Amino acid sequence: MDKRSLSERDICTKFITPALVSAGWDVNSQIREEVSFTKGRIIVRGKMVSRGEGKRADYILSAKPNIPIALIEAKDNKQPVGGGMQQALGYADTLDIPFVFSSNGDGFVFHDRTGSSSMVEQSLGLDEFPSPQELWQRYKAWKGLSDAEEKIALEDYHDDGSGKEPRYYQVNAINKTMEAIAKGQDRVLLVMATGTGKTYTAFQIIWRFRQAFPGKRVLFLADRNVLIDQTMVNDFRPFSGKMAKLSTQSKTIERPDGTKESVTLAMDNKRRIDSSYEIYLGLYQAITGPNESQKIFREFSKDFFDLIIIDECHRGSASADSAWREILNHFSSAVQIGLTATPKETEYASNIDYFGPPVFSYTLKQGIRDGFLAPYKVIKVHVDRDVQGYRPEKGQLNRDGEEVEDRIYNAKDFDRTLVLDDRTKLVARKITEFLRESGDPMAKTIVFCVDQEHAARMRQALVNENADLVAKNARYVMRITGNDKEGIDQLGNFIDPEATYPVIVSTSKLLSTGVDAQTCRLIVLDREVGSMTEFKQIVGRGTRVHEDTRKLFFTLMDFRGASSHFADPDFDGEPVQIYEPGQDDPVTPPDETPENEGASRSETPAENETILIDPNNQNLTNDTKTGPRPKVYIDGVGADIVAERVEYLDENGKLMTESLRDYTRKAMRQRFTSLDDFLRRWKQTERKHALIEELAEEGLPLDLIADELGFDLDPFDLICHIAFDAKPLTRKERADNVLKRDVFTKYRPQARAVLEALLEKYSDDGVISIDDPKILKINPFSGMGTEVELIRAFGKKNDYIRAVHEMQTALYEESA
């Protein structure tokens, strides 16, 4: 057997896996092959939406299922033993795996990331691979786990038999939490971006905790009824029979499969608690309050609960005098775990001060890059009244006939102390324009307003703008606020991917957190958002990916300058485009800025427009009066739109005003330092398609970029032209140049005919992977003979592949 002729997969099957089995690793429970651990980033540029290739490890070795300790990257035998090490170390860093191996079938290179070995890297023979026991003992020493702590850290995950497994970052969060508990840490903070499955993570933590400590009792706290109810019938369902809600109001909840399930209650109508359950879920508002009679939690003894998990802990438990904090103080002996997407750290409140630094964090940026969360575009719409302010004319009367106070009103006043109805109508009109111009007026939309009254006016304005769709179904537009029972009753339908209505909902704060709106495609901000924590929560309403309905990205439409938070270093998201429509421009973003080869940068919108349109910088008045003031309503005062700019966020989080072509040029030049560098890489890569796939994985899908920019070029020429201003050749010109040089004269007639047909195929279709023998099965080759016959015309298969590689080299000899 010629080992060098074997594929990477053959190397795994014939050499690496047998070496692992000989070392004592169990194929069924400890060895996993070809493990995909990210989805692949969703890339949005103009109308082009694609998904990059996900990351995949060749081998992950686990002490027990979902407790990974080692990773192996395999390469074919043409590469050195350690050829996969750098790639493997990147994967290991993401997966938090300490022991890393590379192999080409001849042996292993072992890298110990724990720092406990005398040599960081060493070479091992095929028969020297460490046993599971040896690597686990090293792992234990690295983590500092005693024998008793080891038992807790190794407890089994829940497996429902459906094949569902936690994602890699959930595994990291769960394992780090269990290790912290094993080592006696009783305050734990997990930071996970909205939409990354905090509730499922909490379920697995509770499951494993109760495996380690049978019969222990658990309290799960949240601040939204929908969070409790959906959790009980979905993620926490395996606890049925041992689980109850601390409430007196019974509910029937519909599950995703259409079945209905009643929520078990732990309280009767007289608010007496049944203490026979082991897992309790509670709405903190329902078990505490300002009066002593409302503090239901005091009915439990201080040591009743052994584990408490606080969902969205940034909202209630961060401040020392909060309602949640008194619950946590009462059960101070319990292990307490805080879950949040936005850890709060301010002068006045800190959940890090209470829980300690996070044991694990998974950010919005990581979620978007891994492809688990949806990227988004931002549309900044600037109303002239917000930018320029409004000063009433002398003697201006309000709707009630009273004179309006003479001062300058700005964005902070509108819809809070002063109402310009024309402004509300303008916002509603722009939302409607966007939905219709984007081609999807049924896209689920949340409009965040200043308060409940503003939400009611916004609903009315949207109803009038969409009279035709409202006539078909009155629930097309609805207000969902805390004081609107009809609206709240429709919340379940709004977040249900299968329910068409409601489509547009106006709200103030009710939907800013904890609502799993998987198919929400448009988020509108018509109120200021001063808190970074709240801004992240609002953005999180749209970050869920829902591939069944092709919801792969969403749009944030900002009327109040709230997206200035993007410039804050604490913001970790990545908008793919920011668009500011001018007065006569469509509200939908263009695919890219107008392409003008001769245009100078000065002809684009000025950089200081951002400063001019930021309402947070317009401190035009100091109102010293105290106490709530009635709103002033003024009719007949017009409002219009100003300013335009398109921006992309680069890999460093900086907003860049540039076209898709400029963006691609910059990214290419970061990838290849010079034209010579690119030419060297291209010539050294045997499979040209592998380099194209590598670029696509990094967010540069060349075929789609070529379509978007209107180029019909070979990827080679596309890169040379866009990145390095080289004159491109067409595929036909390249093919003709090869024929002129008589490259094929050394081959026999049938082999020469095959190569000429391949060249014509390249000229017509731009086929990159022409070195794949399977191409010989299609026209025109199928009419020239069988695949075996055509390869024999060259000699052996390797002779055919060598001939094709020589032809490819000849194709790219002229690089400019």
Side-chain angles (χ1 to χ4, degrees):
M1 182 188 299
D2 180 8
K3 189 185 287 188
R4 291 181 65 82
S5 70
L6 297 178
S7 68
E8 180 182 299
R9 193 88 308 261
D10 285 336
I11 293 293
C12 293
T13 302
K14 298 179 185 300
F15 297 97
I16 299 178
T17 300
L20 299 180
V21 173
S22 295
W25 293 87
D26 185 88
V27 171
N28 296 317
S29 63
Q30 294 181 311
I31 301 174
R32 294 185 64 201
E33 297 187 54
E34 295 190 296
V35 184
S36 295
F37 57 91
T38 72
K39 294 273 285 183
R41 181 176 184 163
I42 296 170
I43 304 147
V44 182
R45 291 194 177 90
K47 296 176 182 177
M48 176 176 59
V49 182
S50 60
R51 188 188 276 281
E53 186 177 352
K55 294 180 179 179
R56 184 174 65 184
D58 289 325
Y59 288 86
I60 290 180
L61 308 182
S62 300
K64 293 182 72 173
N66 291 311
I67 303 180
I69 59 174
L71 181 145
I72 306 173
E73 183 61 28
K75 296 297 178 184
D76 62 44
N77 199 251
K78 295 175 185 175
Q79 302 193 46
V81 179
M85 182 55 73
Q86 291 189 146
Q87 181 180 354
L89 287 172
Y91 291 171
D93 184 59
T94 298
L95 296 168
D96 194 31
I97 290 177
F99 307 121
V100 189
F101 298 83
S102 173
S103 178
N104 67 350
D106 289 339
F108 298 94
V109 171
F110 172 34
H111 184 110
D112 186 349
R113 299 178 65 233
T114 67
S116 59
S117 298
S118 58
M119 296 176 61
V120 177
E121 283 192 5
Q122 57 182 303
S123 297
L124 303 174
L126 278 177
D127 59 351
E128 295 179 300
F129 196 87
S131 68
Q133 294 76 20
E134 180 183 345
L135 286 189
W136 177 250
Q137 290 306 314
R138 289 192 184 202
Y139 185 91
K140 271 182 64 180
W142 175 50
K143 291 289 186 178
L145 295 172
S146 67
D147 290 344
E149 293 165 356
E150 171 191 19
K151 182 179 182 302
I152 298 171
L154 279 176
E155 285 298 340
D156 289 332
Y157 280 70
H158 176 265
D159 183 357
D160 62 4
S162 68
K164 178 179 180 179
E165 293 185 340
R167 294 169 174 171
Y168 84 86
Y169 61 85
Q170 294 170 336
V171 166
N172 289 348
I174 296 162
N175 290 344
K176 284 183 176 293
T177 300
M178 292 304 297
E179 288 170 8
I181 292 172
K183 298 177 78 168
Q185 187 172 330
D186 59 2
R187 301 290 182 269
V188 178
L189 181 64
L190 291 177
V191 178
M192 297 172 65
T194 300
T196 55
K198 291 192 295 294
T199 310
Y200 178 69
T201 301
F203 162 74
Q204 289 287 6
I205 290 171
I206 295 171
W207 181 271
R208 292 184 64 197
F209 180 86
R210 284 170 48 79
Q211 292 288 107
F213 307 103
K216 296 296 185 181
R217 287 178 291 227
V218 179
L219 174 62
F220 181 87
L221 285 172
D223 70 341
R224 292 282 191 273
N225 253 316
V226 66
L227 289 176
I228 298 291
D229 298 337
Q230 293 294 335
T231 295
M232 292 183 72
V233 300
N234 293 323
D235 287 330
F236 280 27
R237 196 181 189 199
F239 295 136
S240 294
K242 299 179 180 179
M243 169 182 63
K245 180 180 178 180
L246 289 168
S247 174
T248 59
Q249 297 181 4
S250 180
K251 282 190 176 180
T252 300
I253 307 297
E254 185 171 333
R255 302 187 70 249
D257 60 7
T259 60
K260 293 185 177 181
E261 193 168 323
S262 296
V263 172
T264 304
L265 302 181
M267 295 169 60
D268 61 20
N269 290 331
K270 295 183 179 180
R271 293 168 69 86
R272 291 175 298 198
I273 297 174
D274 183 344
S275 60
S276 64
Y277 294 99
E278 296 180 11
I279 298 168
Y280 294 80
L281 294 90
L283 194 67
Y284 83 88
Q285 301 97 318
I287 63 175
T288 190
N291 300 322
E292 196 62 29
S293 61
Q294 296 172 303
K295 300 184 189 299
I296 300 299
F297 68 91
R298 295 193 190 279
E299 297 296 318
F300 295 102
S301 63
K302 291 188 175 184
D303 60 355
F304 186 85
F305 292 110
D306 305 285
L307 173 66
I308 300 177
I309 294 184
I310 310 96
D311 195 20
E312 306 291 359
C313 68
H314 62 277
R315 292 179 61 81
S317 62
S319 58
D321 59 350
S322 71
W324 282 25
R325 186 64 71 84
E326 70 173 351
I327 299 174
L328 300 187
N329 288 341
H330 181 75
F331 301 113
S332 59
S333 63
V335 174
Q336 297 176 4
I337 301 173
L339 305 177
T340 183
T342 50
K344 180 175 281 190
E345 191 68 19
T346 70
E347 179 184 353
Y348 308 102
S350 169
N351 51 21
I352 292 178
D353 176 63
Y354 183 80
F355 289 103
V359 299
F360 177 78
S361 293
Y362 187 72
T363 65
L364 174 63
K365 179 184 289 187
Q366 289 171 298
I368 291 174
R369 287 184 172 177
D370 285 344
F372 294 118
L373 297 180
Y376 54 99
K377 298 180 179 182
V378 177
I379 302 175
K380 289 183 176 181
V381 185
H382 301 284
V383 180
D384 55 357
R385 296 298 177 184
D386 296 355
V387 175
Q388 301 161 7
Y390 165 69
R391 184 173 183 176
E393 297 178 2
K394 186 175 181 179
Q396 175 82 53
L397 302 181
N398 65 17
R399 189 178 292 174
D400 298 325
E402 299 172 345
E403 187 169 340
V404 180
E405 179 185 355
D406 182 15
R407 66 179 181 88
I408 296 176
Y409 297 85
N410 60 26
K412 294 182 179 179
D413 296 299
F414 297 140
D415 299 298
R416 192 174 301 279
T417 60
L418 180 134
V419 174
L420 300 179
D421 248 3
D422 284 347
R423 186 192 178 285
T424 307
K425 294 173 183 176
L426 174 66
V427 171
R429 185 163 67 252
K430 287 299 172 184
I431 295 170
T432 303
E433 281 179 19
F434 173 82
L435 290 173
R436 301 202 179 203
E437 289 174 10
S438 67
D440 188 8
M442 303 304 290
K444 295 288 181 84
T445 301
I446 304 175
V447 186
F448 288 97
C449 302
V450 169
D451 55 23
Q452 296 184 8
E453 185 273 341
H454 181 207
R457 286 187 291 104
M458 183 61 69
R459 176 203 158 274
Q460 182 178 345
L462 286 164
V463 165
N464 290 333
E465 288 292 334
N466 295 276
D468 55 336
L469 295 169
V470 172
K472 294 179 180 178
N473 192 305
R475 292 181 297 143
Y476 179 78
V477 183
M478 294 199 73
R479 179 181 74 152
I480 300 181
T481 55
N483 67 346
D484 192 325
K485 183 181 183 304
E486 288 74 16
I488 290 177
D489 288 344
Q490 289 299 318
L491 178 57
N493 286 327
F494 179 72
I495 65 178
D496 182 358
E498 303 297 325
T500 304
Y501 299 99
V503 175
I504 306 174
V505 300
S506 63
T507 188
S508 55
K509 294 211 175 213
L510 184 64
L511 303 185
S512 64
T513 184
V515 176
D516 187 8
Q518 299 176 53
T519 56
C520 179
R521 297 172 188 266
L522 176 62
I523 293 172
V524 180
L525 288 171
D526 195 27
R527 68 172 173 87
E528 290 187 315
V529 183
S531 159
M532 173 62 75
T533 297
E534 186 179 14
F535 183 69
K536 285 185 177 181
Q537 289 290 329
I538 288 173
V539 170
R541 296 314 99 211
T543 54
R544 287 159 174 85
V545 174
H546 197 263
E547 301 206 29
D548 288 349
T549 58
R550 301 186 62 78
K551 189 261 175 139
L552 300 172
F553 69 96
F554 69 103
T555 302
L556 182 73
M557 184 180 288
D558 178 19
F559 287 89
R560 300 277 184 153
S563 51
S564 61
H565 283 298
F566 292 139
D568 192 312
D570 288 339
F571 189 79
D572 60 17
E574 292 190 330
V576 294
Q577 182 184 22
I578 292 185
Y579 169 56
E580 300 182 23
Q583 185 171 355
D584 299 320
D585 293 327
V587 73
T588 50
D591 296 339
E592 58 170 309
T593 53
E595 185 64 41
N596 187 341
E597 291 286 340
S600 66
R601 181 64 72 184
S602 62
E603 292 176 11
T604 63
E607 287 294 326
N608 61 2
E609 275 187 307
T610 301
I611 298 173
L612 290 175
I613 59 180
D614 185 354
N616 294 323
N617 291 338
Q618 297 192 33
N619 187 17
L620 302 177
T621 181
N622 291 313
D623 190 355
T624 58
K625 297 182 181 180
T626 60
R629 300 177 57 184
K631 292 184 182 181
V632 177
Y633 293 81
I634 302 179
D635 298 328
V637 177
D640 221 325
I641 303 298
V642 294
E644 173 186 13
R645 187 167 69 224
V646 178
E647 294 176 331
Y648 292 89
L649 203 76
D650 69 13
E651 282 299 306
N652 298 315
K654 303 296 184 184
L655 287 171
M656 306 297 294
T657 303
E658 57 194 347
S659 68
L660 176 59
R661 177 176 179 142
D662 292 334
Y663 182 93
T664 304
R665 177 189 180 91
K666 178 177 293 184
M668 288 293 183
R669 287 198 163 188
Q670 289 176 343
R671 188 72 177 74
F672 308 107
T673 56
S674 65
L675 177 59
D676 288 340
D677 178 39
F678 167 67
L679 294 176
R680 184 170 58 254
R681 283 287 309 279
W682 185 267
K683 290 176 182 177
Q684 289 175 351
T685 304
E686 287 189 2
R687 284 186 63 250
K688 310 302 182 189
H689 201 60
L691 184 58
I692 306 305
E693 290 173 343
E694 187 178 318
L695 290 172
E697 183 179 342
E698 295 177 7
L700 294 167
L702 296 184
D703 54 341
L704 297 177
I705 289 172
D707 289 344
E708 195 78 6
L709 296 179
F711 292 130
D712 183 20
L713 295 175
D714 182 290
F716 175 89
D717 286 285
L718 183 69
I719 295 172
C720 290
H721 178 55
I722 290 181
F724 305 109
D725 299 317
K727 179 183 177 182
L729 297 179
T730 65
R731 289 190 296 271
K732 187 175 187 310
E733 287 173 330
R734 290 198 174 277
D736 288 345
N737 287 341
V738 173
L739 290 174
K740 289 174 186 176
R741 291 197 294 270
D742 290 330
V743 174
F744 304 148
T745 54
K746 64 181 179 179
Y747 297 103
R748 287 176 292 182
Q750 188 176 21
R752 189 162 58 247
V754 170
L755 291 173
E756 289 173 351
L758 279 172
L759 200 60
E760 186 175 354
K761 192 80 173 167
Y762 164 82
S763 178
D764 293 340
D765 302 330
V767 178
I768 292 295
S769 53
I770 53 178
D771 54 352
D772 186 348
K774 292 179 182 176
I775 199 172
L776 300 178
K777 294 181 178 180
I778 64 175
N779 284 329
F781 308 101
S782 58
M784 300 167 64
T786 67
E787 179 185 349
V788 173
E789 289 171 343
L790 296 181
I791 288 176
R792 281 179 181 166
F794 293 84
K796 295 182 179 180
K797 183 176 180 180
N798 284 342
D799 297 318
Y800 166 78
I801 293 174
R802 188 181 305 111
V804 173
H805 284 165
E806 287 177 359
M807 186 183 77
Q808 286 182 319
T809 301
L811 273 171
Y812 299 113
E813 276 186 9
E814 296 199 33
S815 59

